[in-house]
Amino acid sequence: YVLAPPPRYPWEGDSNPLLQSLSRFLIRVKPAPHRYAMLKPFQRAPHLQSEFCSACHKVSLSEPFDNYRWFRGFDTWDEYQDSGVSGFSARSFYQPAHPMECADCHMPMVASQDFGNIAGFVHSHRFPAANTALPTVKGCPEQLAITRKFLQGTVTVDLFAAGDPNATVMQAPMESAPITVRPGHKLRVDLVVRTRGVGHAFPSGTTDAVETWTEFKATDARGRIIFWSGFTRPDGTVDPTAHFFHTVLVDQHGNKIDKRNAWQRRATVYNEAIPPGAAKVVRYRMDIPKDAKLPLTLEAHLWYRKFDSYFNRFSFDGHVDTRDPQALTRYDKGWDDRPWRIDGDKHPDIAAVAISSARVQLGPGAHNQAPPWPLWQRYNDYGIGMLLATDYRLADWAWEAVTKLNPGDADGYVNRARAALGEGSDAEARQWLERALKLDPTFYKAHYFMGLVDKNAGRYEDAARELESVAARFPEDRVVHNVLGRLYLLLGQYDQAIAHYHRVLDIDPQDMTAHQGLMLSYDGKGDDRMAREHEARFLRFRPEETETQYNEPYLLAHPHENVEAQPIHEHISGDWQHAGH
């Protein structure tokens, strides 16, 4: 990339309105220089338009930056490439009717009478996304309104299941299931949070600096609050016991990376983001008071804020506390032990956006309306969330319901196979995949997972045939090529293995698995030079196995984060009574 100012037209940027008008006129009558500077040939190729976005949305940090080692910063591009929205992935839970490019969402068509419009429309160059902080700080209310509108509905919440916390399965859907609510007893509520049409994870990008959380509140018929998780304090900070969708990073001394000091990152405590076309389940457990009057009203909201409240206040009102001269740091080291003070009120009020909401009543006298999504899809989303939480039993329970509600769809049986594979039951997985292939003999997802079952059984030739058929239809699926490379490596067919691994590197040159496979494949061929070359890259890109030692001090000091770091956990009510509410 050559970064340089493009050729300027006469009077471009002039403060005189007349000269500005003349400059724009020249662009219209002689656009070639502008087009040459702003629209390179590869940007006009449909299959490369989104790859252009990857230049800034696939980030890594390395030794010259952090004096440590290479590590992945964030990777919105790979999230998109690995999603159903891109059309590249054979393994996504949902496959849209048509693939979409990044610009389809982030450069939508808007009405315009500008020269060159297409039937009265042009692509918006506002690039609506998720940055609510910049238009707030810069005083751009129109951009802020567009950003807020863009965010709303991209992720939905569904109060789906509830029941006795000790029950084997929950009861669903919550708005119509005969859920017993008894004052003086406990109740568990499962909230499904699902991405819809988002071509990457949510949140994405620098997820350590955003604040995305679920709020869940229960009130009785008198309006008395009996449970509240995820409330916002009067000073704008969020209940620390809430469920957050973000990433927590720490430095070498276990201090949280919360000042955009990424060069001091040494470990990831957890990354709680929702994959594209997928869902997460947030579990709540409440005690219903003995004197509670039914019905109970349950409300859930998904909130988003860029940036989080601490970083916002730190940026404008943060100061090093010089009263403790012993607490020093060097920026070329892997920690920052300095004490910081947050004082003053210079920081702007960056309001949180309510992305979606849900409401359900439980008990005698309840009045409910079902959400607009098909019931089979709601069960499917619940199963996805449970699978991602490694609760394979509840995932299979949900997907069994999907196969009954939608018996002609092979996807439900494929998903039951996913749960069986998670449990280590290959025989059961094969049974469900055979059911799926009976419904649709060409269903690519069924062939992909059947290939995994055959691979686990040592039937490498059968597995390769299954997966080659998938790779022919999804040639950009890196995971499929990596599995094929492994299969041919196990078969001793090193040239075929090398071809598939290099296909992965065409897509992602930093793929650790492909470099490891090439190291082993070239070793098998006796090519020591190439084996050592890929061994060096494998060692460079693989995660540092000792990094988890830096998590322990942070988790011991932050019990709520320790809970969040567990795949399966429940939220109890935060201390809302003493937070000014």
Side-chain angles (χ1 to χ4, degrees):
Y1 296 91
V2 178
L3 302 180
R8 298 178 70 86
Y9 282 79
W11 308 299
E12 186 177 351
D14 197 289
S15 59
N16 186 307
L18 177 61
L19 295 180
Q20 285 182 15
S21 177
L22 287 172
S23 181
R24 289 194 295 270
F25 174 76
L26 288 173
I27 292 176
R28 291 170 182 170
V29 298
K30 191 177 176 61
H34 180 76
R35 184 184 299 118
Y36 176 79
M38 298 298 179
L39 188 63
K40 305 301 181 186
F42 72 88
Q43 290 172 260
R44 293 194 285 268
H47 67 289
L48 293 178
Q49 289 178 1
S50 289
E51 285 194 9
F52 177 67
C53 302
S54 72
C56 295
H57 292 273
K58 181 182 176 75
V59 174
S60 59
L61 292 80
S62 55
E63 295 89 337
F65 184 75
D66 63 6
N67 288 308
Y68 175 47
R69 67 183 305 272
W70 184 95
F71 75 91
R72 172 66 62 214
F74 66 86
D75 200 349
T76 303
W77 162 252
D78 278 1
E79 294 165 4
Y80 164 78
Q81 203 268 349
D82 209 33
S83 74
V85 173
S86 69
F88 295 152
S89 173
R91 299 158 289 105
S92 56
F93 291 104
Y94 290 101
Q95 208 80 18
H98 305 287
M100 296 176 66
E101 299 284 345
C102 302
D104 292 332
C105 288
H106 296 290
M107 296 186 72
M109 300 299 285
V110 293
S112 173
Q113 297 306 313
D114 285 353
F115 180 82
N117 71 76
I118 303 171
F121 289 88
V122 297
H123 283 284
S124 170
H125 281 60
R126 288 183 176 274
F127 294 95
N131 193 333
T132 57
L134 189 59
T136 299
V137 173
K138 299 296 289 183
C140 303
E142 186 178 356
Q143 179 71 18
L144 179 60
I146 289 171
T147 304
R148 293 171 71 98
K149 183 178 179 181
F150 178 82
L151 282 167
Q152 288 166 346
T154 55
V155 186
T156 57
V157 293
D158 183 6
L159 286 163
F160 181 68
D164 186 328
N166 299 316
T168 305
V169 296
M170 295 290 99
Q171 292 177 288
M174 196 186 304
E175 73 278 355
S176 59
I179 298 169
T180 302
V181 181
R182 293 193 186 95
H185 288 70
K186 295 181 183 295
L187 179 71
R188 187 179 118 192
V189 174
D190 289 354
L191 174 70
V192 179
V193 187
R194 152 87 188 276
T195 56
R196 294 187 179 274
V198 182
H200 48 72
F202 180 85
S204 189
T206 52
T207 54
D208 58 306
V210 302
E211 206 161 45
T212 308
W213 74 99
T214 53
E215 178 187 7
F216 174 70
K217 181 164 66 171
T219 55
D220 71 1
R222 298 187 184 94
R224 181 178 57 156
I225 300 173
I226 63 173
F227 185 98
W228 198 0
S229 171
F231 57 86
T232 302
R233 297 188 179 101
D235 65 357
T237 59
V238 180
D239 168 21
T241 71
H243 187 89
F244 290 91
F245 294 103
H246 65 173
T247 304
V248 175
L249 311 172
V250 292
D251 68 18
Q252 192 168 324
H253 288 177
N255 302 305
K256 186 177 182 179
I257 300 294
D258 54 11
K259 304 173 184 66
R260 301 308 292 261
N261 51 321
W263 62 90
Q264 293 170 321
R265 174 265 180 204
R266 294 295 179 268
T268 300
V269 179
Y270 67 86
N271 179 4
E272 179 67 357
I274 309 171
K280 290 289 184 77
V281 175
V282 186
R283 309 183 192 209
Y284 297 96
R285 181 193 291 249
M286 71 174 78
D287 290 304
I288 304 174
K290 292 181 179 180
D291 60 346
K293 183 173 175 58
L294 303 179
L296 301 182
T297 299
L298 312 180
E299 298 175 83
H301 308 277
L302 177 66
W303 294 96
Y304 172 86
R305 178 158 50 196
K306 172 88 174 212
F307 294 91
D308 67 55
S309 55
Y310 176 80
F311 181 71
N312 181 34
R313 289 177 294 141
F314 160 78
S315 300
F316 291 87
D317 302 317
H319 308 278
V320 175
D321 192 342
T322 56
R323 294 171 296 183
D324 185 1
Q326 301 301 317
L328 300 175
T329 190
R330 288 174 55 189
Y331 280 94
D332 61 345
K333 297 297 183 183
W335 60 84
D336 185 351
D337 292 338
R338 295 176 296 172
W340 289 86
R341 292 184 293 111
I342 308 295
D343 50 32
D345 57 357
K346 297 178 183 177
H347 62 278
D349 180 15
I350 300 176
V353 179
I355 293 180
S356 58
S357 301
R359 181 179 183 274
V360 168
Q361 287 188 326
L362 296 180
H367 297 281
N368 292 309
Q369 185 174 355
W373 315 297
L375 184 56
W376 73 264
Q377 189 181 100
R378 296 172 68 195
Y379 271 102
N380 198 49
D381 293 341
Y382 188 71
I384 294 169
M386 289 302 177
L387 181 80
L388 296 179
T390 68
D391 192 334
Y392 304 117
R393 175 181 51 81
L394 274 178
D396 185 66
W397 170 79
W399 284 328
E400 181 183 13
V402 172
T403 59
K404 292 176 180 177
L405 291 165
N406 220 8
D409 188 355
D411 235 333
Y413 296 105
V414 170
N415 286 342
R416 294 199 74 176
R418 295 184 201 243
L421 283 169
E423 289 275 28
S425 179
D426 290 354
E428 185 181 349
R430 185 181 295 277
Q431 168 193 333
W432 298 127
L433 293 170
E434 287 171 350
R435 292 281 295 274
L437 289 169
K438 188 174 181 180
L439 287 170
D440 183 355
T442 66
F443 193 37
Y444 53 90
K445 292 185 195 178
H447 285 289
Y448 170 77
F449 286 104
M450 188 67 85
L452 297 188
V453 172
D454 285 336
K455 177 177 175 289
N456 292 345
R459 298 164 58 171
Y460 300 145
E461 293 90 348
D462 294 341
R465 279 193 294 272
E466 296 278 4
L467 290 164
E468 287 286 9
S469 69
V470 180
R473 182 168 176 179
F474 293 90
E476 301 289 322
D477 193 315
R478 296 163 298 152
V479 173
V480 172
H481 286 293
N482 268 327
V483 178
L484 278 165
R486 181 65 179 173
L487 285 167
Y488 287 122
L489 176 62
L490 293 169
L491 288 167
Q493 300 176 21
Y494 301 120
D495 288 335
Q496 291 93 322
I498 289 169
H500 279 287
Y501 284 132
H502 275 296
R503 184 68 191 95
V504 175
L505 296 186
D506 289 341
I507 301 165
D508 180 10
Q510 297 167 330
D511 190 287
M512 173 192 72
T513 302
H515 285 298
Q516 183 185 35
L518 285 167
M519 173 188 73
L520 297 172
S521 299
Y522 281 117
D523 260 336
K525 287 191 69 173
D527 189 336
D528 187 66
R529 183 184 66 84
M530 291 299 293
R532 300 292 74 79
E533 179 179 323
H534 287 286
E535 178 185 27
R537 295 179 186 177
F538 164 65
L539 294 174
R540 175 173 173 76
F541 298 133
R542 73 171 182 175
E544 177 57 61
E545 295 176 355
T546 62
E547 284 183 354
T548 54
Q549 66 179 304
Y550 305 128
N551 292 344
E552 185 177 352
Y554 181 80
L555 292 173
L556 288 173
H558 299 83
H560 300 310
E561 301 277 25
N562 193 22
V563 171
E564 287 285 276
Q566 309 310 313
I568 301 174
H569 62 272
E570 294 178 339
H571 292 266
I572 60 174
S573 184
D575 191 18
W576 54 270
Q577 297 96 332
H578 300 95
H581 293 287

